[in-house]
Amino acid sequence: CGGSISDSSGVLQSPNYPGNYPNDADCVWEIQVENNFRVTLTFRDIVMQSSTCQQDYIEVYDGPLHSSPLLGRFCSGSFPTYVSSSNMMSVRFHSDSRYSFRGFQAHYSSIPAGHNTTIQCLSDYMHVMVSRDYLQSQGYSAESVTLNDSRCRPTVTSQEVVFNIPYNGCGTIQEENNDTINYSNTIRVASSGYIIKRKKNINLHVSCKMLRKSWQQVMYAAEDTVEVNEYQFGRYDMNITFYDSPAFLRQVRSSPYYIDLNQNLYLQACLHNSDPNLKVVVDTCVASPDPHDFNTLAYYLVENGCPRDSSYATYYSPSSHFARFKFNAFEFMSRHPSVYLKCQMLVCRLGDYSSHCYQACSTRAKRDTSSAEEKVDVVVGPLQLREGGAPSGDT
């Protein structure tokens, strides 16, 4: 149950609804709609163990679960409606080990936010547009709009004032919390007049919150591209590429990638981001014959930073934005025509030795995600066995 949702509208419901939900459930849905839209959530049915809402309950958060305000916690009563303040909302459903009931059903949809200011969180910078109509309606001119760093000038069009604000410059402030690494800046709109001012200055606080623990499943393609959704809550741009040797000089561009049993496979994960103070490591890699199901039949190469396959190994990387590793093609490839690999990468602040990027395997498995990490998932494949399928050595 739970998961990441990016459709513009849909239905949430407790497991087995309208049948009874299971005991000891803990489900978290992260609803992330289009840039500059908000989430509206309306409950249509709630039948749960009621009283103090300590055993079974629903929680709604105004953004990611661990770092956002709680909009409501309930287990019975009237059917509430909630509206997020950004393009993301989280819903948590919890049940204990005792009684079980029908549960809940809720509908969500996206509604446009105000269009005075729009933000896109791109891989290297914030793209911010301020409406000139809005400025003029408040009595301001486009020339009065600046950043704290006066060297970073906007582009002024007939309709908008446009800023491309880098994550690592122009006075951008970087902060970390349990769910996101935040990049924020302030656009200032100054009132005219040197002696007397009739209007207040306006400060537009803009920020991109790059999600941690976000599952991003993308098919590997020959062009080695990863499609990245551009949201106010953004995702780090990550891809994984096969290489033909441990020198990591020549990429494997064929898809499917035809290999032999026991062949050494070399992979490099690359984080595309202008912030040099980030580090990426391999956290979990799991193989499956189904690119949409990594639970039913799965083989773990590495889990929570701990190798599960004897052939798995990491390599030195020339940059903190790269993570290099290898493993050998394994036996269940002889029983399935194609194999896909889903790898969860950790993005941490460089030099933050409390984060999992710097922890040993035994420590990492026991700790929760620290405040300086984000998890990004990428799916690559398919891998297919070469004709004949005979075991071979390295290529």
Side-chain angles (χ1 to χ4, degrees):
C1 62
S4 297
I5 302 171
S6 58
D7 295 333
S8 60
S9 62
V11 176
L12 298 185
Q13 55 193 30
S14 50
N16 302 329
Y17 182 91
N20 285 7
Y21 52 77
N23 292 326
D24 299 315
D26 198 50
C27 314
V28 178
W29 292 269
E30 290 184 339
I31 307 170
Q32 184 175 320
V33 297
E34 191 176 345
N35 179 49
N36 299 303
F37 279 71
R38 295 179 180 178
V39 183
T40 177
L41 178 72
T42 301
F43 286 83
R44 305 290 179 85
D45 187 20
I46 305 172
V47 180
M48 301 171 61
Q49 179 181 359
S50 61
S51 59
T52 61
C53 296
Q54 295 298 314
Q55 292 78 29
D56 298 356
Y57 54 83
I58 304 165
E59 293 177 330
V60 180
Y61 290 85
D62 191 14
L65 179 69
H66 297 294
S67 60
S68 302
L70 177 66
L71 296 177
R73 175 172 174 159
F74 51 92
C75 56
S76 62
S78 59
F79 299 158
T81 294
Y82 297 97
V83 179
S84 66
S85 60
S86 72
N87 66 321
M88 188 172 184
M89 176 185 285
S90 295
V91 180
R92 181 187 182 196
F93 167 71
H94 176 82
S95 67
D96 67 2
S97 58
R98 298 185 68 189
Y99 305 110
S100 181
F101 297 86
R102 186 167 73 233
F104 77 92
Q105 184 182 74
H107 290 227
Y108 77 90
S109 59
S110 56
I111 57 174
H115 291 294
N116 296 332
T117 304
T118 61
I119 307 171
Q120 288 181 298
C121 300
L122 304 178
S123 60
D124 288 331
Y125 58 90
M126 288 182 275
H127 182 68
V128 183
M129 297 181 291
V130 183
S131 165
R132 291 191 66 175
D133 287 343
Y134 166 69
L135 293 173
Q136 291 169 3
S137 71
Q138 301 298 311
Y140 297 92
S141 67
E143 289 69 29
S144 64
V145 184
T146 62
L147 284 177
N148 280 342
D149 189 335
S150 59
R151 295 169 296 178
C152 300
R153 302 295 303 168
T155 299
V156 180
T157 70
S158 60
Q159 295 182 322
E160 293 156 332
V161 180
V162 182
F163 285 93
N164 291 324
I165 308 172
Y167 295 136
N168 197 50
C170 291
T172 299
I173 298 172
Q174 304 171 9
E175 298 175 316
E176 304 154 4
N177 61 38
N178 286 338
D179 292 300
T180 56
I181 295 177
N182 302 338
Y183 302 91
S184 61
N185 211 314
T186 302
I187 297 173
R188 303 191 183 279
V189 187
S191 174
S192 59
Y194 292 102
I195 299 175
I196 12 180
K197 290 188 177 181
R198 301 289 186 188
K199 303 187 294 294
K200 294 181 179 180
N201 296 333
I202 298 176
N203 291 336
L204 300 174
H205 299 283
V206 295
S207 64
C208 282
K209 300 183 177 183
M210 306 303 283
L211 285 169
R212 311 176 188 278
K213 303 181 188 175
S214 57
W215 291 87
Q216 186 181 49
Q217 296 191 17
V218 182
M219 284 300 300
Y220 176 85
E223 294 79 17
D224 301 330
T225 59
V226 175
E227 297 296 329
V228 179
N229 294 324
E230 299 167 355
Y231 295 141
Q232 291 158 288
F233 279 95
R235 301 183 186 276
Y236 281 112
D237 183 354
M238 186 94 66
N239 73 337
I240 295 180
T241 309
F242 288 100
Y243 281 78
D244 67 355
S245 77
F248 292 93
L249 296 177
R250 292 188 302 275
Q251 296 182 9
V252 175
R253 295 190 175 274
S254 60
S255 182
Y257 181 16
Y258 291 97
I259 59 176
D260 299 316
L261 285 181
N262 207 35
Q263 175 180 329
N264 284 333
L265 304 178
Y266 305 97
L267 299 94
Q268 176 178 274
C270 178
L271 171 66
H272 302 282
N273 192 276
S274 61
D275 185 352
N277 298 310
L278 296 176
K279 177 181 176 65
V280 60
V281 300
V282 183
D283 184 71
T284 299
C285 276
V286 56
S288 169
D290 184 346
H292 307 294
D293 181 2
F294 287 86
N295 296 307
T296 304
L297 182 58
Y299 180 79
Y300 280 84
L301 299 164
V302 56
E303 185 176 17
N304 297 321
C306 302
R308 299 302 185 200
D309 181 272
S310 60
S311 69
Y312 176 85
T314 58
Y315 287 88
Y316 166 79
S317 172
S319 165
S320 63
H321 283 201
F322 295 153
R324 293 174 169 178
F325 57 104
K326 57 88 68 171
F327 65 93
N328 290 3
F330 34 82
E331 180 61 29
F332 88 32
M333 287 206 65
S334 64
R335 303 195 300 274
H336 301 280
S338 298
V339 171
Y340 296 81
L341 190 65
K342 178 180 179 181
C343 292
Q344 185 175 78
M345 313 303 297
L346 276 181
V347 181
C348 308
R349 300 300 297 168
L350 191 63
D352 179 7
Y353 294 98
S354 66
S355 71
H356 288 174
C357 289
Y358 292 91
Q359 300 299 315
C361 162
S362 58
T363 305
R364 190 184 291 180
K366 295 176 183 176
R367 299 182 60 227
D368 205 355
T369 304
S370 89
S371 63
E373 304 159 14
E374 176 186 340
K375 292 183 177 180
V376 180
D377 279 40
V378 182
V379 174
V380 295
L383 299 171
Q384 293 188 3
L385 209 57
R386 205 187 309 276
E387 285 298 324
S392 72
D394 193 9
T395 57

